[in-house]
């Protein structure tokens, strides 16, 4: 029977990451973790769950190599590692007497730092951002609290069925108590919300360029980006935003001069040779310019493992995936805030939004530039969910600028304003 129930419930647990309207499934999808007390069942559940959850990585693997056997092998290793980390460790901790939902949540927190630069992607609590109204409680409980709540409700439902005759009343009261607390927190945040109006007219460019073009056809990328930018009336727009790596090499300096009639925030990649250290240096940047003059440059602080650098001990993979032997991106070490029209704008790049944001006092806007063309399935939409999550947590306005869709403005209540499939959007905030 486990051969059917464990895969079935694992599928139910993953489904809300693909169909947001099915968020309610999370509240009973993890029942097998409480019914089954053996390690192998937990790993099987975790493997199927992780395999289906991270299917979007397959496109990136196919872009890096056409060796199908290697792609399948690497993905199976990844899914197994994820299962051991996120499901195996909580199981072992629960055997030591730690409440399983707490153990699972603790491992999610550990994933902020381990492995490599941290692996904070697709936390279970992220689904809470799609729960109507109750998502506002994320401002207080954060994504980790949401994970704990979701698994705790799974546990309560399990106990209701386990103690149907004896303990049903107390567990129903406990369930009602949790819902009441979330409701009170949501109401409190709703009434505390004050969404400012900055009178800012922005244009967001999301060119929907394929990663193959960005890698192999740089001239086309430049021409197409320029074409889209030229379609924006500069006298009717205060600020134009373009996604991560919209401009490559040192061309960003010429780009700023060429389009000096615009105020720009855009992503750029820079590759230079340092004679003193005798090595190539690559950086992932956000550039801010006002009428042809560069006013600020942000260097990405948290590079993506295997995407922007190859972790120590894995260089040998470059024999099979040449991309992993390229120059590693260097991380930035300086907090940068752009100042525009009396506004303080904090820039972030791609995966950095998956990490909690702190020290936002005095910040008016957070701009996240990204390029999700590396990934398949609905990763762009999920990336937007992450921005919505951070907007609720921090109470700040976010602007999400993505190469392939779902760009727009996210308000502190998590609401999205934008046209996810338009190549150029004109918005006001």
């Amino acid at each position: 029977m486990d051969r059917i129930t464990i895969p079935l419930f694992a599928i139910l647990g993953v489904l809300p990451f693909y169909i947001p309207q099915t968020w309610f499934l999370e509240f009973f999808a993890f029942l097998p973790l409480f019914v089954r007390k053996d390690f192998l069942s937990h790993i099987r559940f975790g493997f199927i769950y992780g395999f289906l959850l991270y299917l979007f990585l397959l496109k990136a693997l196919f872009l890096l190599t056409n060796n199908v056997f290697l792609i399948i092998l690497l993905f199976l290793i990844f899914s197994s590692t994820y299962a051991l980390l996120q499901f195996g460790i909580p199981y072992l901790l629960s055997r030591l007497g730690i409440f399983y939902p707490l153990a699972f949540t603790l491992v999610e927190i550990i994933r902020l730092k381990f492995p490599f630069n941290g692996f904070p992607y697709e936390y279970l609590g992220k689904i809470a951002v799609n729960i109507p109204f109750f998502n506002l409680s994320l401002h207080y409980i954060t994504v980790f609290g949401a994970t704990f709540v979701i698994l705790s409700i799974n546990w309560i439902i399990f106990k209701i069925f386990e103690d149907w005759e004896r303990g049903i009343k107390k567990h129903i009261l406990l369930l009602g108590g949790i819902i009441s607390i979330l409701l009170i927190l949501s109401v409190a945040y709703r009434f505390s919300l004050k969404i400012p109006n900055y009178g800012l007219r922005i244009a967001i460019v999301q060119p929907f360029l394929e990663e193959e073009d960005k890698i192999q056809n740089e001239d086309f990328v430049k021409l197409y980006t320029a074409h889209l930018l030229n379609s924006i009336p500069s006298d009717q727009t205060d600020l134009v935003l373009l996604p991560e790596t919209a401009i490559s090499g040192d061309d960003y300096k010429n780009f700023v001069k060429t389009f000096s009639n615009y105020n720009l925030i855009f992503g750029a990649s820079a590759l230079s040779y340092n004679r003193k250290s005798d090595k190539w240096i690559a950086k992932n940047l956000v550039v801010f310019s006002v009428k042809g003059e560069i006013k600020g440059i942000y260097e990405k602080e948290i590079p993506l493992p295997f995407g922007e650098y190859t972790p120590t001990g894995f260089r040998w993979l470059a024999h099979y995936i040449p991309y992993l032997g390229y120059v590693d991106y260097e991380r930035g070490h300086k907090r940068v805030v752009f100042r525009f029209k009396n506004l303080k704008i904090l820039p972030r790049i791609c995966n950095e939004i998956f990490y909690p944001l702190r020290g936002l006092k005095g910040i008016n806007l957070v701009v996240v530039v990204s390029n999700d063309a590396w990934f398949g399935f609905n990763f762009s939409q999920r990336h937007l969910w992450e921005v919505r999550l951070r907007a609720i947590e921090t109470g700040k306005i976010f602007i999400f600028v993505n190469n392939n869709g779902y760009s727009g403005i996210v308000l502190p209540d998590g609401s999205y304003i934008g046209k996810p499939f338009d190549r150029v959007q004109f918005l006001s905030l």
Side-chain angles (χ1 to χ4, degrees):
M1 192 66 177
D2 283 350
R3 292 180 179 179
I4 298 175
T5 56
I6 288 180
L8 175 61
F9 276 83
I11 292 170
L12 293 178
V14 170
L15 203 57
F17 283 90
Y18 291 94
I19 306 174
Q21 294 81 4
T22 62
W23 55 264
F24 58 90
L25 295 176
E26 295 290 8
F27 293 100
F28 60 86
F30 295 87
L31 286 176
L33 302 180
F34 301 102
V35 174
R36 299 297 303 175
K37 306 298 183 182
D38 60 294
F39 181 74
L40 185 59
S41 292
H42 282 247
I43 296 303
R44 285 174 59 203
F45 185 101
F47 176 82
I48 297 167
Y49 180 85
F51 184 93
L52 297 174
L53 183 64
Y54 291 100
L55 284 174
F56 61 82
L57 292 175
L58 287 174
K59 181 180 178 182
L61 289 172
F62 275 103
L63 286 170
L64 297 176
T65 178
N66 57 6
N67 187 326
V68 176
F69 174 78
L70 180 59
I71 290 170
I72 294 173
L73 178 62
L74 289 174
F75 194 67
L76 290 176
I77 292 173
F78 169 82
S79 302
S80 301
T81 303
Y82 171 79
L84 288 168
L85 175 64
Q86 186 59 75
F87 288 81
I89 294 177
Y91 171 84
L92 296 175
L93 291 174
S94 69
R95 305 306 293 173
L96 295 174
I98 299 177
F99 187 41
Y100 185 85
L102 177 59
F104 193 97
T105 305
L106 288 174
V107 172
E108 283 195 342
I109 294 172
I110 290 170
R111 280 170 52 198
L112 284 172
K113 299 292 183 182
F114 178 86
F116 315 120
N117 266 347
F119 188 75
Y121 310 104
E122 310 313 308
Y123 286 154
L124 174 58
K126 176 179 179 175
I127 290 304
V129 80
N130 292 318
I131 302 177
F133 191 71
F134 283 91
N135 59 2
L136 296 182
S137 65
L138 287 165
H139 182 71
Y140 301 102
I141 68 174
T142 76
V143 65
F144 301 115
T147 294
F148 179 76
V149 167
I150 289 171
L151 286 175
S152 294
I153 291 176
N154 274 266
W155 176 79
I156 291 171
I157 293 173
F158 162 70
K159 297 302 288 186
I160 287 174
F161 283 105
E162 185 183 52
D163 301 329
W164 184 259
E165 295 182 357
R166 295 176 301 166
I168 183 172
K169 185 177 180 179
K170 68 177 182 181
H171 289 118
I172 288 179
L173 288 173
L174 180 57
L175 181 60
I178 292 174
I179 294 173
S180 298
I181 291 171
L182 295 178
L183 181 62
I184 291 170
L185 292 175
S186 297
V187 171
Y189 182 55
R190 171 64 72 183
F191 278 102
S192 70
L193 269 178
K194 294 180 181 179
I195 301 175
N197 182 0
Y198 297 123
L200 195 66
R201 302 168 302 173
I202 67 171
I204 300 176
V205 178
Q206 47 180 15
F208 285 90
L209 289 163
E210 289 296 330
E211 196 57 38
E212 294 93 332
D213 288 324
K214 293 178 74 68
I215 294 173
Q216 302 172 6
N217 199 348
E218 191 173 312
D219 289 338
F220 166 73
V221 170
K222 291 177 183 177
L223 289 170
Y224 189 60
T225 302
H227 162 71
L228 292 175
L229 196 53
N230 279 322
S231 69
I232 300 171
S234 59
D235 59 338
Q236 299 175 27
T237 308
D238 297 312
L239 187 64
V240 179
L241 302 103
L242 297 95
E244 180 186 13
T245 63
I247 305 299
S248 60
D250 279 335
D251 284 348
Y252 70 86
K253 297 174 183 176
N254 293 326
F255 179 74
V256 167
K257 292 178 181 178
T258 302
F259 294 97
S260 60
N261 53 326
Y262 296 100
N263 303 318
L264 302 168
I265 292 180
F266 61 94
S269 60
L271 181 65
S272 59
Y273 180 74
N274 189 315
R275 293 182 180 276
K276 188 177 293 185
S277 60
D278 190 29
K279 67 175 184 179
W280 288 94
I281 297 173
K283 293 182 178 181
N284 197 345
L285 311 173
V286 178
V287 180
F288 169 50
S289 68
V290 176
K291 301 302 181 184
E293 182 180 353
I294 294 177
K295 295 292 186 178
I297 295 179
Y298 168 70
E299 298 179 3
K300 189 176 184 182
E301 296 178 81
I302 310 175
L304 181 68
F306 299 103
E308 293 170 321
Y309 79 99
T310 303
T312 303
F314 288 88
R315 278 286 174 184
W316 59 272
L317 278 173
H319 293 293
Y320 308 98
I321 305 177
Y323 180 87
L324 298 180
Y326 293 171
V327 179
D328 286 343
Y329 280 75
E330 289 195 354
R331 71 169 66 209
H333 298 282
K334 183 181 178 182
R335 179 182 171 87
V336 175
V337 176
F338 301 149
R339 287 170 169 79
F340 180 69
K341 289 184 177 291
N342 297 318
L343 300 177
K344 293 182 178 180
I345 304 172
L346 182 73
R348 282 294 177 265
I349 300 175
C350 193
N351 60 295
E352 292 184 311
I353 199 60
F354 286 82
Y355 294 82
L357 290 174
R358 300 179 180 88
L360 296 185
K361 186 177 181 180
I363 297 297
N364 303 108
L365 300 171
V366 180
V367 171
V368 182
V369 301
S370 185
N371 170 31
D372 291 338
W374 281 100
F375 306 110
F377 293 91
N378 68 331
F379 185 75
S380 297
Q381 186 180 25
R382 285 198 230 174
H383 209 153
L384 173 62
W385 299 352
E386 201 74 33
V387 177
R388 292 175 57 211
L389 167 68
R390 297 299 170 210
I392 296 172
E393 282 187 347
T394 62
K396 299 294 181 180
I397 296 177
F398 281 66
I399 302 176
F400 182 45
V401 190
N402 185 32
N403 171 60
N404 51 315
Y406 292 96
S407 303
I409 297 169
V410 178
L411 299 178
D413 63 357
S415 58
Y416 166 72
I417 302 171
K419 299 175 181 178
F421 306 114
D422 285 8
R423 282 172 167 74
V424 178
Q425 301 185 50
F426 298 95
L427 305 170
S428 298
L429 66 117

